[in-house]
Structure formats: structure tokens, C-alpha cells
Amino acid sequence: EIVLTQSPRTLSLSPGERATLSCRASQNVSTGYLAWYQQKPGQAPSLLVYGVSSRGIGIPGRFEGIGSGTDFALTISRLEPEDFAVYYCQQFGGSPPFTFGPGTRVDV
Amino acid sequence: QVQLVQSGAEVKKPGASVKVSCKTSEHTLATYEINWLRQATGQGPEWMGGMDPKSGHIGYSQKFQGRLTLTRDTSISTAYMELSSLTSDDTAIYYCARRRSYNYTLGTLDYFDYWGQGTLVTVSS
């Protein structure tokens, strides 16, 4: 099973600032199999980025995913009020189980 | 607009079973793999299993093997997740999600693109 570790667990920032979230995998993850999700309180997770760097439908350009192998990152260039949420990385790997990281909370 | 609409909250006693439904469109159920995940309070989502739309083949997380049953009723475009022998550790929000998987120039892309609203399952004596 591929274990995903996210850091930091909490990021305290202000609107307009830049956020950088890290995701490290215990084994190599192919590019197509790494995604990021955003979750707001009381809501289901929603797709942000897939294939490491492709944004989902309607996702603004301030969200950027990068990385390869075992090290990945999600950058939010300028935080908007609606971006304060929890972010999860997730991998499909070559076989199940398909795992998620523990999440990074971005708060004010 | 893709929608996955789940059934309502459930309260179960330890040892019981729970069955959660996920209603979607005929096209989604026939074309995409519907997966089930759960999320305990304060934790990341946990993948449980998914059903291939064409073959009906089911992939399970070993953690749930023997307790998890995934089924579907194509006549009403609904997928089901049943979990048996419940314990308090099964208290969580359960989600269905559509898995998008396709080939592109560099390989395969795989992700969950649409999620249901979630169903809270509480296991308590």
C-alpha cells in the first residue's frame, strides 16, 4: 500500500498570500495517478487537480499542481476567502487500495 | 450536470448491517465505475471498493473484504453499498464517487470527478 504524507498539517495564512502544500508518497506514483481534492466543512471532497497538474472543470488558474515520483505539491498563488479549506492528495497507483493523505488545513 | 444522490443518515447497532444507495443517471452507471469511500471525523477519505460498469467486476480494499457488498440496479440507475458486522469504528460519512479513468499520450489518467453528498452512518449501542 502506498502511504501519502502531507505537510504541513495546518497552514495559517491571510487572503492574498501564497500557499504551498506538500504531498510525499512512500513509493513512486505515476503522473496520471496523482490528484488533489478540496473539502469545505459539511461538504464532500471536490476535485481540484488530476494527473499532477491538470485542473478540474471550473478550477481557477491560481491552483497549480507540480511534482513527480514521490514528491508532489499544490500551490495556491493568491488565497481567496473561499480557498480556506482542507486539501487532500490521493493516488491510484498500480493496484488497490487507492489511498489519500491525511490532509492539510488552510486557515486564516 | 452529473449528480450522485445518496440516501439519508442511518443509525445502527453493533453487529448490524447498513445499506446505502447512490442514485445517478443511466449514462453514468453504464459508463463509469462507481466507487465507495468513507471518512471518519478528522481523517482523510478511505477507499472501500468500486464496480466496473461493463463487467460488473468489483475491486475491494482488503480491509473490508468479507464485510462489503457492492451491487447496482440498472433499472433505476442506482448503486448500493452494504457493510455488515458493524462496529463503532465504522461510524463515518460514506460517499459514492464516480471514477474517471482513460488513456492519454503519456499513460492513464485516473481520478474521482464527482461525489455524492455523503451519508452519515452512526454505529452505537
Side-chain angles (χ1 to χ4, degrees), chain A residues 58-105:
Chain A
I59 303 302
R62 63 180 182 272
F63 292 92
E64 182 179 3
I66 59 171
S68 64
T70 60
D71 289 306
F72 303 91
L74 176 72
T75 299
I76 311 171
S77 58
R78 288 179 57 85
L79 283 164
E80 296 288 339
E82 62 267 27
D83 299 337
F84 291 93
V86 180
Y87 293 84
Y88 297 99
C89 58
Q90 180 253 329
Q91 65 80 29
F92 275 92
S95 58
F98 308 131
T99 53
F100 288 76
T104 291
R105 177 180 304 278

Side-chain angles (χ1 to χ4, degrees), chain B residues 103-124:
Chain B
N103 294 327
Y104 74 125
T105 52
L106 298 178
T108 302
L109 284 167
D110 232 329
Y111 50 95
F112 298 120
D113 60 351
Y114 291 96
W115 296 61
Q117 83 276 18
T119 297
L120 175 61
V121 175
T122 304
V123 183
S124 173

Side-chain angles (χ1 to χ4, degrees), chain B residues 34-54:
Chain B
I34 298 297
N35 281 245
W36 292 88
L37 307 95
R38 74 179 188 180
Q39 187 174 30
T41 302
Q43 297 185 25
E46 178 179 31
W47 180 78
M48 301 175 70
M51 178 184 282
D52 183 277
K54 301 287 193 292

Side-chain angles (χ1 to χ4, degrees), chain A:
Chain A
E1 174 176 329
I2 296 177
V3 176
L4 298 178
T5 303
Q6 292 186 244
S7 62
R9 294 300 310 277
T10 302
L11 202 48
S12 296
L13 295 167
S14 299
E17 290 193 295
R18 179 185 184 90
T20 300
L21 289 64
S22 173
C23 175
R24 177 161 289 178
S26 60
Q27 302 171 39
N28 275 354
V29 175
S30 296
T31 297
Y33 292 149
L34 195 287
W36 291 88
Y37 302 84
Q38 178 191 66
Q39 187 174 32
K40 297 180 180 178
Q43 296 183 18
S46 61
L47 178 68
L48 268 182
V49 167
Y50 63 93
V52 173
S53 59
S54 297
R55 283 184 291 274
I57 297 171
I59 303 302
R62 63 180 182 272
F63 292 92
E64 182 179 3
I66 59 171
S68 64
T70 60
D71 289 306
F72 303 91
L74 176 72
T75 299
I76 311 171
S77 58
R78 288 179 57 85
L79 283 164
E80 296 288 339
E82 62 267 27
D83 299 337
F84 291 93
V86 180
Y87 293 84
Y88 297 99
C89 58
Q90 180 253 329
Q91 65 80 29
F92 275 92
S95 58
F98 308 131
T99 53
F100 288 76
T104 291
R105 177 180 304 278
V106 178
D107 60 20
V108 178

